[in-house]
Amino acid sequence: MRCLCWLFWLALFPTAAHAASPITLCEGVWLDATRSRSVPVRIRMPAGREKVGVILFSHGLGGSLDAGTIWAHAWAEGGFAVVNVQHEGSDSAIFGKPGFKSALNGEQLAARARDIQFVIGELGRRLLEGPCDLQRIDLNRIGVAGHSFGAQTIQAIAGQSFPVKIEPPLSDPRLRAAVGLSPSPPLTGSPESAFATIRIPFLSITGTADAVPFVTPITALQRQQPFRLMPPGEKYLLVLKDGTHEMFAGQLFRTTLNGEPTPHIRNTVIATTLAFWYATLGHDKRALQWLQSPTGLRAGLPPGDFFESK
């Protein structure tokens, strides 16, 4: 089945969608001396010499720099610098070990948020990472995205509040927008209080089959809760029929069973997120109208999918 929203988006943004310009790929391991912590990064820089906005991506529990590859590549082709961040203590090194699910905790969440804050700071301090010219990054146009535990990380960075005051805060005023793929209720405390303080533009993406009961009891319906409880103001919710948790990781797996996204889910996530980034980091009025108009994105979705905004 063709995705009508994808075709409509191609008509609005043909240059970005078809450019497929060469992407410079760089990797490094940055040391946060204040925490004695190494933070691996993978950077994708779009072609050109002009200033570009930047998107940081946080992987889920047991993930790595490979998480979000599909999304990161599309965003870089769309004209953004993209930085995948790997989080020690909740990355692939723990996957398959006894008790690995215990890493899904507040301490690791805070460490992850500090990783994102650290990388943002380094992007403003470093000139180069290999052949990647970091001086091209416009630090006035910073977005963050994440999947699963990475989405919880993004929620914290975007302004989520916690039952116990955390100093310094996990939220970061340098951010302009956030995308949560498979977002979640808070680990502890009141969901109403947690999400009432997220005021920046936020796009939540989930599916009707977005659950991993062997890891967490969070249901697919509960993944809509962050959107429902955030205050109005450029908040969006995309729900895709039959979308599984693994599909939203945006990763290339060896097997396709419930792993890589279907063409429809892949194209719809790419189209929606790029429009969101253009609207929030690029101040593109056409993209904003496509997201918010009844005749825009929601009008092109097939039965079973739905999109809301407030």
Side-chain angles (χ1 to χ4, degrees), residues 173-242:
R174 295 172 291 185
L175 302 186
R176 293 294 173 264
V179 171
L181 297 130
S182 302
S184 300
L187 295 174
T188 59
S190 161
E192 289 79 8
S193 298
F195 299 125
T197 49
I198 296 182
R199 298 185 176 89
I200 66 172
F202 198 108
L203 168 61
S204 296
I205 301 177
T206 184
T208 59
D210 190 354
V212 276
F214 63 93
V215 176
T216 173
I218 297 171
T219 66
L221 188 60
Q222 285 178 307
R223 297 195 184 278
Q224 300 179 26
Q225 190 178 78
F227 167 79
R228 305 281 175 212
L229 297 176
M230 289 181 196
E234 293 188 77
K235 305 298 194 304
Y236 307 96
L237 172 66
L238 175 66
V239 180
L240 297 172
K241 185 178 183 292
D242 299 327

Side-chain angles (χ1 to χ4, degrees), residues 253-310:
F253 293 97
R254 292 181 180 178
T255 62
T256 57
L257 181 62
N258 292 327
E260 294 180 24
T262 63
H264 167 65
I265 288 177
R266 176 185 181 131
N267 290 344
T268 306
V269 169
I270 290 173
T272 308
T273 53
L274 272 174
F276 176 78
W277 296 130
Y278 287 139
T280 57
L281 303 183
H283 307 293
D284 190 310
K285 293 181 180 179
R286 295 176 304 164
L288 183 63
Q289 182 179 16
W290 188 65
L291 290 171
Q292 296 184 344
S293 170
T295 59
L297 168 59
R298 68 195 64 178
L301 291 173
D305 296 352
F306 66 89
F307 182 78
E308 296 181 33
S309 63
K310 62 180 182 179

Side-chain angles (χ1 to χ4, degrees), residues 24-309:
T24 302
L25 185 68
C26 312
E27 292 192 9
V29 179
W30 296 351
L31 176 64
D32 184 349
T34 63
R35 298 184 296 155
S36 300
R37 182 176 171 91
S38 296
V39 183
V41 296
R42 179 177 294 163
I43 303 168
R44 289 176 172 84
M45 291 293 295
R49 296 181 179 180
E50 73 282 0
K51 285 280 190 177
V52 294
V54 63
I55 303 161
L56 287 76
F57 187 88
S58 174
H59 62 74
L61 183 68
S64 69
L65 294 177
D66 293 330
T69 291
I70 296 172
W71 319 137
H73 188 80
W75 299 338
E77 281 194 337
F80 297 96
V82 184
V83 183
N84 289 68
V85 180
Q86 187 163 323
H87 306 286
E88 179 184 290
S90 59
D91 60 4
S92 55
I94 70 162
F95 192 74
K97 293 183 178 180
F100 81 95
K101 291 184 290 186
S102 64
L104 192 67
N105 61 49
E107 181 180 350
Q108 288 297 331
L109 180 66
R112 287 165 149 264
R114 304 286 184 221
D115 289 344
I116 299 295
Q117 292 174 333
F118 164 71
V119 171
I120 292 174
E122 290 297 286
L123 291 174
R125 187 183 70 83
R126 294 173 181 255
L127 302 180
L128 297 169
E129 178 57 57
C132 289
D133 180 7
L134 302 184
Q135 297 177 86
R136 291 181 58 204
I137 292 176
D138 183 352
L139 294 176
N140 291 314
R141 292 189 285 151
I142 301 175
V144 290
H147 171 250
S148 193
F149 199 18
Q152 293 187 50
T153 304
I154 296 320
Q155 292 164 195
I157 289 284
Q160 178 179 325
S161 61
F162 298 89
V164 178
K165 188 175 183 180
I166 301 174
E167 291 293 346
L170 300 183
S171 61
D172 197 310
R174 295 172 291 185
L175 302 186
R176 293 294 173 264
V179 171
L181 297 130
S182 302
S184 300
L187 295 174
T188 59
S190 161
E192 289 79 8
S193 298
F195 299 125
T197 49
I198 296 182
R199 298 185 176 89
I200 66 172
F202 198 108
L203 168 61
S204 296
I205 301 177
T206 184
T208 59
D210 190 354
V212 276
F214 63 93
V215 176
T216 173
I218 297 171
T219 66
L221 188 60
Q222 285 178 307
R223 297 195 184 278
Q224 300 179 26
Q225 190 178 78
F227 167 79
R228 305 281 175 212
L229 297 176
M230 289 181 196
E234 293 188 77
K235 305 298 194 304
Y236 307 96
L237 172 66
L238 175 66
V239 180
L240 297 172
K241 185 178 183 292
D242 299 327
T244 67
H245 193 72
E246 292 84 356
M247 289 179 184
F248 297 112
Q251 189 166 338
L252 301 173
F253 293 97
R254 292 181 180 178
T255 62
T256 57
L257 181 62
N258 292 327
E260 294 180 24
T262 63
H264 167 65
I265 288 177
R266 176 185 181 131
N267 290 344
T268 306
V269 169
I270 290 173
T272 308
T273 53
L274 272 174
F276 176 78
W277 296 130
Y278 287 139
T280 57
L281 303 183
H283 307 293
D284 190 310
K285 293 181 180 179
R286 295 176 304 164
L288 183 63
Q289 182 179 16
W290 188 65
L291 290 171
Q292 296 184 344
S293 170
T295 59
L297 168 59
R298 68 195 64 178
L301 291 173
D305 296 352
F306 66 89
F307 182 78
E308 296 181 33
S309 63

